């Protein structure tokens, strides 16, 4: 082959390579737009989840075709959350686009006074649901392993301690409802493992304290707090804690298990309709909220790490925080 023929051959190969790269870029663009269309139009929960997973792992990098990366991975999580709630007629959650083309969420009755967005975690292929100003991570969602966990620490910090200064207890209860509804939809419709933490209203659910033991003076302080109220605090029959009787048949037990060698302390909330959580008590009853926040170092509930392990690991999920297999957590509420 002559030198001229080699030049022509090399040029043709380069043109062919360029053409193939452009084709790959265009095919990538087609795949991207198809997934976005699926995300915003499907009425199937499973397809909604699958489109979000594929978009979050799709690499749009191409040297020859520059795709308009209008949205970030975190935005797809927010779109999925909004669409899932909308598909199941859950109101109170709304997303909008800011001037930087980033999607942000508002929750009624906060409106735009308080905003939320996801932050994607590349290492664990999941996302934190964060409040905009404080960057409190209220929960973490893992699509691959289908798990979601709320942070007790963040729930108390954001709702009970901070936002209670600006909103009523009924407002806060209304604001947290779409978050709980979203978690429950993931569980019932898509088979997710959910850890609601202090938002769990199940009567049989025991919430472990952060510290393995509690000084009995904490019970004495709660007794003093109830002295001028309509509520009564009783010592449990086996003297392993106390029972606070509230209104409407609601009761709070603060106790340790006598059968357990460790004598670790727990909270347990019961009500006739199995609908009241520890979170509800903290925002509805001033005496409990003030006692909890004033003595938080001693009476705080345990808050497990938000990053969950794979489903093969022995990890507590929905209602299993009292499991003896629970791993020790450094994060405390």
């Amino acid at each position: 082959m002559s030198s001229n023929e080699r030049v022509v051959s090399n040029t043709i190969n380069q043109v062919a390579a360029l053409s193939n790269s452009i084709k790959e870029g265009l095919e990538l663009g087609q795949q991207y737009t198809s997934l976005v269309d699926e995300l915003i139009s499907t009425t199937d929960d499973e397809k909604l989840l699958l489109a979000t997973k594929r978009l979050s792992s799709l690499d749009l990098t191409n040297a020859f075709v520059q795709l308009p990366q209008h949205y970030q991975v975190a935005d797809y999580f927010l779109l999925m959350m909004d669409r899932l709630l909308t598909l199941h007629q859950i109101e109170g959650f709304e997303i909008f686009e800011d001037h930087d083309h980033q999607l942000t969420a508002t929750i009624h009755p906060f409106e735009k006074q308080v905003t939320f967005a996801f932050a994607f975690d590349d290492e664990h292929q999941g996302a934190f649901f964060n409040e905009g100003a404080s960057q409190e991570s209220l929960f973490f969602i893992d699509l691959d392993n289908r798990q979601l966990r709320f942070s007790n620490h963040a729930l108390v910090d954001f709702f009970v301690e901070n936002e209670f200064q600006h909103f009523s207890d009924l407002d806060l209860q209304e604001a947290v409802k779409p978050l709980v509804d979203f978690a429950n939809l993931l569980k019932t419709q898509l088979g997710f493992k959910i850890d609601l933490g202090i938002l769990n209203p199940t009567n049989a659910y025991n919430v472990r304290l952060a510290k393995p033991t509690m000084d009995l003076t904490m019970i004495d302080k709660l007794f003093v707090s109830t002295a001028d109220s309509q509520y009564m605090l009783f010592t449990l029959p086996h003297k392993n804690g106390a029972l606070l009787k509230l209104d409407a048949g609601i009761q709070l037990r603060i106790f340790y298990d006598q059968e357990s060698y460790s004598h670790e302390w727990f909270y347990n909330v019961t009500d006739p309709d199995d609908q009241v959580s520890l979170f509800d008590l903290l925002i509805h009853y001033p005496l409990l909220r003030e006692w909890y926040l004033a003595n938080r170092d001693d009476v705080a509930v345990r808050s497990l790490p938000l990053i969950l392990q794979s489903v093969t690991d022995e990890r507590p999920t929905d209602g299993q925080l009292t499991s003896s297999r629970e791993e020790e957590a450094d994060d405390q509420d």
Side-chain angles (χ1 to χ4, degrees):
M1 180 183 295
S2 67
S3 60
N4 186 55
E5 289 175 328
R6 284 196 295 271
V7 169
V8 172
S9 177
N10 288 338
T11 301
I12 290 174
N13 288 338
Q14 289 172 355
V15 171
L18 173 61
S19 177
N20 289 333
S21 295
I22 292 175
K23 287 178 184 176
E24 290 173 2
L26 294 174
E27 289 173 359
L28 181 62
Q30 181 62 48
Q31 183 182 1
Y32 172 72
T33 55
S34 295
L35 288 173
V36 171
D37 288 344
E38 181 90 330
L39 180 63
I40 63 177
S41 63
T42 184
T43 57
D44 182 277
D45 296 337
E46 192 67 44
K47 290 181 179 178
L48 181 63
L49 176 65
L50 184 58
T52 308
K53 287 177 60 176
R54 288 179 174 173
L55 281 167
S56 66
S57 60
L58 190 63
D59 185 0
L60 297 178
T61 304
N62 186 279
F64 298 95
V65 177
Q66 297 300 313
L67 298 175
Q69 298 184 38
H70 191 88
Y71 297 110
Q72 302 301 313
V73 173
D75 296 323
Y76 305 134
F77 280 77
L78 203 59
L79 279 166
M80 180 202 68
M81 183 175 179
D82 179 65
R83 297 248 29 250
L84 187 63
L85 290 170
T86 300
L87 286 174
H88 293 274
Q89 293 81 50
I90 305 299
E91 299 179 346
F93 188 86
E94 183 180 354
I95 61 175
F96 63 94
E97 187 175 312
D98 63 19
H99 62 278
D100 293 323
H101 302 302
Q102 180 180 359
L103 295 183
T104 307
T106 60
I107 301 176
H108 185 76
F110 289 159
E111 306 308 337
K112 291 189 178 181
Q113 296 178 63
V114 182
T115 60
F116 303 87
F118 278 101
F120 184 66
D121 184 278
D122 291 291
E123 181 181 355
H124 299 94
Q125 292 297 296
F128 296 94
F129 185 76
N130 295 340
E131 191 274 324
S134 67
Q135 287 299 295
E136 290 279 3
S137 297
L138 299 182
F139 65 77
F140 181 81
I141 181 171
D142 177 345
L143 300 188
D144 286 338
N145 292 311
R146 302 200 181 203
Q147 300 186 78
L148 181 148
R149 170 173 289 155
F150 279 91
S151 167
N152 290 330
H153 178 89
L155 288 171
V156 172
D157 269 358
F158 176 66
F159 286 100
V160 181
E161 187 162 23
N162 298 334
E163 292 311 307
F164 202 89
Q165 302 174 40
H166 311 292
F167 297 92
S168 70
D169 55 343
L170 296 179
D171 286 339
L172 296 180
Q173 190 172 40
E174 185 178 356
V176 82
K177 184 179 183 301
L179 307 185
V180 176
D181 288 340
F182 174 62
N184 286 332
L185 284 173
L186 290 174
K187 179 179 180 179
T188 58
Q189 303 301 122
L190 292 165
F192 272 61
K193 290 179 180 291
I194 302 298
D195 186 350
L196 292 174
I198 60 173
L199 296 171
N200 192 327
T202 309
N203 282 350
Y205 185 74
N206 294 331
V207 185
R208 178 173 287 170
L209 271 68
K211 289 186 175 180
T213 59
M214 185 179 72
D215 194 313
L216 290 178
T217 58
M218 297 299 108
I219 300 293
D220 295 337
K221 290 182 178 181
L222 184 57
F223 178 81
V224 171
S225 298
T226 62
D228 296 326
S229 74
Q230 65 193 77
Y231 310 117
M232 298 293 293
L233 185 69
F234 301 90
T235 301
L236 291 175
H238 299 291
K239 297 184 179 180
N240 61 323
L243 172 69
L244 178 61
K245 291 189 176 182
L246 301 165
D247 46 19
I250 300 171
Q251 297 184 347
L252 170 67
R253 280 197 307 150
I254 308 171
F255 71 102
Y256 64 85
D257 184 1
Q258 288 186 309
E259 302 299 322
S260 170
Y261 173 79
S262 62
H263 282 191
E264 289 186 277
W265 284 77
F266 302 91
Y267 292 105
N268 173 261
V269 179
T270 58
D271 68 285
D273 300 319
D274 217 27
Q275 294 294 317
V276 179
S277 68
L278 180 59
F279 175 86
D280 294 322
L281 298 193
L282 291 176
I283 64 172
H284 282 303
Y285 294 95
L287 71 90
L288 271 177
R289 180 174 62 257
E290 292 165 6
W291 170 79
Y292 186 96
L293 295 179
N295 303 285
R296 198 168 173 183
D297 288 342
D298 297 294
V299 303
V301 300
R302 192 176 189 181
S303 192
L304 291 170
L306 279 184
I307 301 291
L308 292 88
Q309 304 300 313
S310 67
V311 292
T312 58
D313 288 353
E314 292 292 348
R315 289 294 225 171
T317 55
D318 198 19
Q320 297 179 342
L321 286 182
T322 60
S323 167
S324 61
R325 293 178 174 178
E326 179 179 352
E327 296 185 7
E328 291 298 323
D330 295 327
D331 181 23
Q332 293 185 354
D333 175 1

